[in-house]
Amino acid sequence: MKKWPRPKGKRIMSEKEKKGGDKKPGKSKFNFEFNFNFYWVYVLIAVAFIAMTFMPSLGEADRKLNDDELKVILSSGDVKELVIVNKDIAEVFITEEALESNSDYEKVKSNPFGSALNKGPHYYHQIVEIQNFDNTIKEIKASLPEDKRFDTDAESRKNWGDSVMWLLPFVLIIGVWIFLMRRMSGGAGGGAQIFNIGKSKAQLFEGDTKVNVTFNDVAGLDEAKVEIKEIVDFLKNPKKYTDLGAKIPKGALLVGPPGTGKTLLAKAVAGEAKVPFFSLSGSDFVEMFVGVGASRVRDLFKQAKEKAPSIIFIDEIDAVGRARGKSVSQGANDERENTLNQLLTEMDGFGTNSGVIILAATNRADILDRALLRAGRFDRQILVDMPDLTERIDIFKVHLKPLKLGKDVDVDFLGKQTPGFSGADIANLCNEAALIAARKDKKKIEKQDFLDAVDRIIGGLEKKNKIITKGEKKVIAYHEAGHAAVSWLTEHASPLIKVTIVPRGRSLGAAWYLPEERQITTKEQMLDEMCAALGGRAAEEIIFGKVSTGALSDLEKITKQAYAMVTVYGLSEKIGNVSFYDSSGQSEYSFSKPYSEKTAELIDKEVSDMVESAYNRTKKILLDNKDKLEKLAEELLEKEVIFKENLEVIFGKRQWEPAELEPKKTEVVDEVESDEPIEKSAVEEVNIEEPEDVVKVEGNDSLTQS
């Protein structure tokens, strides 16, 4: 059999050697890799400067002559030539015969860099006063025989050594500065430094950099996971799709409220996909220097193309993707717009990015530029909405795995008690329950710990030691009893869970409700909710004949709700079926209202009439049930906390009990472009403090009232 010759210069390695074999890395004798470091240039330059500076001084002690020694050598007749340099230095050249025959010249005979005969100058003399020196030379030459006389010459030379010594400090300072700046440019992130400021700051996940999050860790979001999994599967098995003529999507945009799991879904993609994954935030492109953002975009896509197929994930893309030309001060955001233009070009410009997929996440899709959202850039917009009952149960199962639970903990019950909670809220709830159980020195987390955690998250920290007078406490009790009574006696108000007059957070009292998980809301339902919110103030007026500042949050809520009914939802007969709602989110940049002054007056009057009508209806309901209201308030003053069962004893069974939701998938129907999110377990709060504190409540009210 014919044997082919092995190619020269390249050793064929066995499979064992390719994998490393038994040898330790870096120990192979065939490893000739040399990495050039630019710092060697600095070392060579430094050595050259030192050599130029100190080379002339080599052996200077043996060759330097004083006045007497100079006279002796010049008078000996062995001098061939005397050169006066810059009227400062006298160079003495000895004849070759004298160097060979006279042992006195042994030290200057040989060349310092070789064995050849040194051609000079052999000696130096420092001239103190040139006139006296000339006279001395003339006298010595006159005393010598004609054949022994030496030649004299004068030269003018530039002293490069002095010039180098003058420049050396500046060179050293510049060198140190360059060294420090290069060291800074090698820091973490690779883009926030001076020389690498235009480099991408994306974090790369590939190879040994493993992400432990998988799709199994993402509970709920079944529809979103199907489309995201499809992208990952396309990268793993492209033939399955290309055989049908399908093309890989260019990008996918994850849209949804905060805390719903957009970033978690992207982490799962990084953990599942076996391709390089670049992760960064939209704000990483933003910089005060002109052109930096666009440069970072170019560098990011350059790196992604080199490692294609790859995935780029941009979190909070609204930081650079905001619609162009919508700013109040036109031209003030040129740098951000340049960054966006470069991003648009890279995503689907003249040159195609084969094998590079873009993932992005935002909760402000309404403000993104339309060019960014078109097909070919972001082919898919995936809605990651608030979880429904079934999804909340699945999320609870994920977060309850590492916890030690008591036997009374029911996952289905927890899912029903947390309408409007996002995935992040549920994770926080589980952690708070564990902390509360640990505070009580329990070995396991019980059902009551989770209920306390819900109260803590919604209402705030309980303040049992807050100083409240008896008069204030009585007003608070009737205020909360008013909320509870009206919500119990109206058909569409949210079902009551419990009422308390224990201060919690910035509230002095609270009523907990469990809102229905509905996708559309009728006018009657909204009016009943307004009546329930006005129940506290109406009760104060009926019992005490005066009102307090405690209804601040209630009034704020119903005012916003009434204006939304009139101007957004078209639920006013006088205004008609019109809506001034701007789904694009650009109305904030407009200085004028989308309606006339006459219409504005009509809107204000309609809102006022609607609120007053609801208030009068609320007072009528409470007057018809005044005895029950007083009984409820007295029981509240006694127990401080009462529950649904206590209201059933006083008012009887509620006529309009909502239908029990079963854990099953339901189709999500958005009422008005998701104008407002589903409320968490609602809390009515009352504040009876001084007016200055009321202002703080308004600004810091994080509770949701019904």
Side-chain angles (χ1 to χ4, degrees):
M1 188 173 69
K2 186 177 179 179
K3 293 185 179 179
W4 296 96
R6 180 175 296 179
K8 296 181 179 181
K10 188 174 182 180
R11 181 174 177 266
I12 301 176
M13 301 178 67
S14 65
E15 291 295 325
K16 185 176 180 180
E17 288 178 298
K18 290 179 181 179
K19 295 179 180 179
D22 299 328
K23 295 183 179 181
K24 296 181 180 179
K27 296 296 183 179
S28 176
K29 65 180 182 178
F30 294 96
N31 186 13
F32 298 106
E33 185 179 357
F34 175 76
N35 294 325
F36 177 76
N37 195 325
F38 194 76
Y39 292 124
W40 284 109
V41 177
Y42 300 148
V43 174
L44 293 175
I45 293 172
V47 171
F49 275 125
I50 294 171
M52 291 174 62
T53 305
F54 297 102
M55 189 64 69
S57 65
L58 293 175
E60 188 175 353
D62 295 331
R63 295 187 295 161
K64 190 173 182 180
L65 302 175
N66 55 32
D67 292 341
D68 295 335
E69 290 172 341
L70 179 65
K71 291 178 181 179
V72 171
I73 291 180
L74 294 178
S75 303
S76 64
D78 297 333
V79 177
K80 177 183 176 182
E81 185 180 15
L82 180 68
V83 179
I84 300 173
V85 181
N86 299 334
K87 298 181 181 181
D88 187 43
I89 301 291
E91 296 179 348
V92 180
F93 293 81
I94 307 298
T95 60
E96 294 183 5
E97 294 81 5
L99 291 174
E100 294 287 351
S101 60
N102 197 338
S103 61
D104 294 336
Y105 305 121
E106 192 68 31
K107 292 183 180 181
V108 298
K109 176 182 176 181
S110 303
N111 194 323
F113 300 99
S115 59
L117 195 67
N118 187 11
K119 294 185 178 182
H122 302 96
Y123 295 100
Y124 298 92
H125 173 73
Q126 183 71 43
I127 301 174
V128 179
E129 210 280 318
I130 186 65
Q131 189 64 40
N132 295 332
F133 183 79
D134 288 341
N135 296 332
T136 303
I137 298 301
K138 289 178 181 179
E139 293 176 0
I140 295 174
K141 287 181 70 175
S143 63
L144 291 173
E146 190 69 28
D147 59 336
K148 297 289 186 181
R149 291 180 182 177
F150 52 86
D151 298 329
T152 57
D153 193 11
E155 293 182 4
S156 180
R157 301 178 187 170
K158 290 185 178 180
N159 194 339
W160 293 105
D162 292 343
S163 301
V164 169
M165 292 298 294
W166 184 79
L167 291 173
L168 187 60
F170 297 98
V171 173
L172 290 176
I173 292 172
I174 295 172
V176 170
W177 183 81
I178 294 174
F179 175 79
L180 292 176
M181 293 300 103
R182 291 186 65 87
R183 291 285 295 179
M184 290 174 62
S185 67
Q193 299 82 22
I194 294 180
F195 287 116
N196 280 343
I197 196 167
K199 298 291 184 181
S200 170
K201 299 173 69 176
Q203 188 177 2
L204 176 61
F205 298 93
E206 70 169 343
D208 297 334
T209 309
K210 295 183 179 179
V211 182
N212 297 323
V213 181
T214 63
F215 286 123
N216 295 328
D217 300 317
V218 183
L221 309 178
D222 293 336
E223 294 82 3
K225 283 197 291 186
V226 169
E227 295 199 334
I228 291 293
K229 282 182 178 178
E230 196 172 85
I231 296 175
V232 176
D233 187 50
F234 199 113
L235 293 171
K236 290 182 177 180
N237 187 21
K239 192 174 184 300
K240 172 183 173 182
Y241 300 89
T242 54
D243 288 347
L244 299 174
K247 296 180 180 179
I248 190 169
K250 293 289 185 67
L253 181 64
L254 303 174
V255 182
T260 51
K262 300 183 295 295
T263 306
L264 181 65
L265 203 57
K267 287 183 180 179
V269 174
E272 292 281 349
K274 304 301 182 184
V275 297
F277 188 92
F278 296 86
S279 175
L280 76 165
S281 173
S283 61
D284 290 337
F285 295 113
V286 182
E287 191 62 68
M288 64 177 288
F289 303 108
V290 177
V292 171
S295 175
R296 289 177 179 175
V297 172
R298 287 191 294 269
D299 185 67
L300 171 64
F301 279 84
K302 179 185 176 184
Q303 294 180 38
K305 290 176 190 175
E306 292 173 352
K307 296 182 177 292
S310 58
I311 298 175
I312 296 174
F313 173 62
I314 306 175
D315 202 5
E316 308 296 345
I317 195 174
D318 52 277
V320 293
R322 186 183 291 267
R324 292 165 289 182
K326 300 296 184 181
S327 171
V328 177
S329 55
Q330 298 292 332
N333 265 341
D334 289 343
E335 174 59 18
R336 182 188 57 76
E337 292 189 1
N338 290 339
T339 305
L340 175 59
N341 293 336
Q342 186 64 45
L343 182 63
L344 295 175
T345 304
E346 293 289 347
M347 288 187 68
D348 190 24
F350 207 72
T352 58
N353 295 318
S354 58
V356 180
I357 297 176
I358 315 297
L359 290 182
T362 181
N363 50 27
R364 296 293 307 279
D366 55 319
I367 67 172
L368 294 180
D369 196 277
R370 292 178 62 184
L372 194 64
L373 300 178
R374 75 159 175 86
R377 291 195 172 104
F378 285 114
D379 300 301
R380 294 180 174 180
Q381 292 189 36
I382 303 172
L383 178 62
V384 186
D385 209 349
M386 286 291 187
D388 58 20
L389 177 59
T390 304
E391 290 173 335
R392 288 199 304 274
I393 293 173
D394 294 338
I395 295 170
F396 265 112
K397 289 178 181 178
V398 171
H399 292 294
L400 292 177
K401 279 183 182 179
L403 304 181
K404 295 182 178 180
L405 304 176
K407 295 181 179 180
D408 60 343
V409 177
D410 184 9
V411 182
D412 293 344
F413 173 79
L414 295 176
K416 294 175 182 178
Q417 292 295 310
T418 52
F421 273 56
S422 65
D425 293 329
I426 292 174
N428 185 34
L429 172 63
C430 295
N431 186 58
E432 283 289 345
L435 294 176
I436 291 171
R439 194 181 302 153
K440 298 177 181 178
D441 296 327
K442 294 183 179 180
K443 299 298 182 183
K444 292 185 177 180
I445 309 171
E446 300 173 350
K447 176 182 177 180
Q448 186 59 43
D449 298 322
F450 284 96
L451 295 177
D452 293 342
V454 172
D455 295 346
R456 169 69 181 85
I457 292 172
I458 297 174
L461 186 64
E462 196 174 65
K463 299 179 181 179
K464 292 185 178 181
N465 298 325
K466 195 176 184 73
I467 300 174
I468 302 173
T469 64
K470 288 184 179 180
E472 289 177 336
K473 194 172 183 179
K474 188 176 181 180
V475 174
I476 297 169
Y478 275 96
H479 183 105
E480 299 301 337
H483 285 308
V486 177
S487 65
W488 193 267
L489 298 170
T490 50
E491 180 178 358
H492 302 293
S494 301
L496 185 75
I497 299 176
K498 71 175 184 179
V499 186
T500 178
I501 58 173
V502 178
R504 186 181 286 274
R506 298 196 63 84
S507 65
L508 299 179
W512 267 258
Y513 301 97
L514 194 63
E516 293 183 57
E517 293 190 69
R518 54 186 180 226
Q519 307 304 320
I520 57 174
T521 306
T522 63
K523 182 179 180 180
E524 288 74 22
Q525 290 171 334
M526 298 182 79
L527 289 174
D528 282 357
E529 290 175 357
M530 289 176 66
C531 290
L534 290 168
R537 167 156 287 199
E540 291 181 26
E541 185 178 348
I542 291 172
I543 301 300
F544 304 104
K546 56 185 178 182
V547 295
S548 69
T549 60
L552 171 64
S553 58
D554 305 326
L555 298 177
E556 181 187 8
K557 179 196 170 184
I558 64 168
T559 303
K560 291 180 179 178
Q561 191 173 15
Y563 271 105
M565 291 173 66
V566 176
T567 62
V568 177
Y569 302 115
L571 299 178
S572 172
E573 295 180 0
K574 293 183 179 180
I575 302 299
N577 298 319
V578 294
S579 176
F580 304 106
Y581 177 67
D582 184 13
S583 61
S584 65
Q586 304 301 330
S587 59
E588 57 185 286
Y589 301 117
S590 178
F591 292 101
S592 60
K593 297 288 184 182
Y595 43 80
S596 64
E597 291 294 330
K598 186 177 179 181
T599 305
E601 292 178 3
L602 187 59
I603 290 172
D604 293 340
K605 188 175 187 310
E606 186 68 6
V607 168
S608 179
D609 293 344
M610 189 179 292
V611 173
E612 288 304 315
S613 175
Y615 187 65
N616 293 329
R617 181 190 170 199
T618 303
K619 287 201 296 183
K620 186 178 183 304
I621 294 173
L622 291 178
L623 285 171
D624 294 340
N625 298 272
K626 187 177 179 181
D627 55 337
K628 297 177 181 178
L629 172 67
E630 292 176 345
K631 189 175 180 180
L632 178 61
E634 292 297 328
E635 189 167 354
L636 192 57
L637 282 169
E638 181 183 350
K639 297 181 178 179
E640 290 190 339
V641 181
I642 60 175
F643 297 90
K644 177 181 178 182
E645 294 77 14
N646 302 98
L647 269 77
E648 289 181 350
V649 173
I650 298 173
F651 292 93
K653 192 77 173 176
R654 192 167 186 256
Q655 301 179 22
W656 310 281
E657 284 295 331
E660 189 76 15
L661 288 177
E662 296 296 328
K664 62 180 182 180
K665 293 293 179 183
T666 57
E667 185 179 356
V668 178
V669 180
D670 203 354
E671 43 182 303
V672 188
E673 297 291 335
S674 300
D675 166 56
E676 51 187 20
I678 302 173
E679 296 178 345
K680 296 180 184 179
S681 301
V683 180
E684 294 291 351
E685 67 172 348
V686 57
N687 193 310
I688 324 289
E689 300 181 47
E690 295 297 321
E692 56 266 20
D693 294 331
V694 174
V695 179
K696 296 181 181 178
V697 174
E698 184 179 10
N700 295 278
D701 185 16
S702 60
L703 311 178
T704 309
Q705 292 86 24
S706 176

